Amino acid sequence: GASVNNIIPTPQNQPSPTIRAMASGGHTHWADIVQGSQIKRISQKATARLQTFPDSYQFPESKSLSQQIIGNAVPPLLAKELGLAILKSIN
């Protein structure tokens, strides 16, 4: 299990580690916030933002299904840039 002793925070200016598609309520280990001696799970909204989903994106009500969608997704801004690069190379 996660504890304050085995969570290594990601430096602020570094990329986020992989966002896992967690279907259970367990800690994601890397995606937890250490506040003093307590560990708080990062919110679904925060993981969606890390994946570049717009705040207006409507996820299913099921939190486990939503987290699977977020974790398995190609980040929307990455998909957009790939699509633009493909179009540019075709033209």
Side-chain angles (χ1 to χ4, degrees):
S3 76
V4 174
N5 297 328
N6 68 7
I7 293 177
I8 302 169
T10 301
Q12 196 170 16
N13 295 333
Q14 296 296 314
S16 166
T18 301
I19 294 175
R20 296 191 218 162
M22 298 288 290
S24 67
H27 287 289
T28 54
H29 299 284
W30 63 264
D32 293 327
I33 300 166
V34 179
Q35 291 182 337
S37 63
Q38 291 189 330
I39 301 168
K40 301 198 179 215
R41 186 168 183 173
I42 192 168
S43 72
Q44 180 178 311
K45 186 174 187 173
T47 58
R49 282 183 174 172
L50 285 170
Q51 284 287 76
T52 72
F53 281 93
D55 286 341
S56 60
Y57 190 87
Q58 296 293 311
F59 289 100
E61 288 186 34
S62 167
K63 287 186 179 185
S64 62
L65 178 57
S66 294
Q67 191 60 33
Q68 286 179 318
I69 291 168
I70 294 166
N72 287 328
V74 172
L77 290 181
L78 174 61
K80 177 184 175 185
E81 292 302 319
L82 283 172
L84 291 173
I86 291 168
L87 285 174
K88 185 177 177 181
S89 72
I90 291 171
N91 295 329

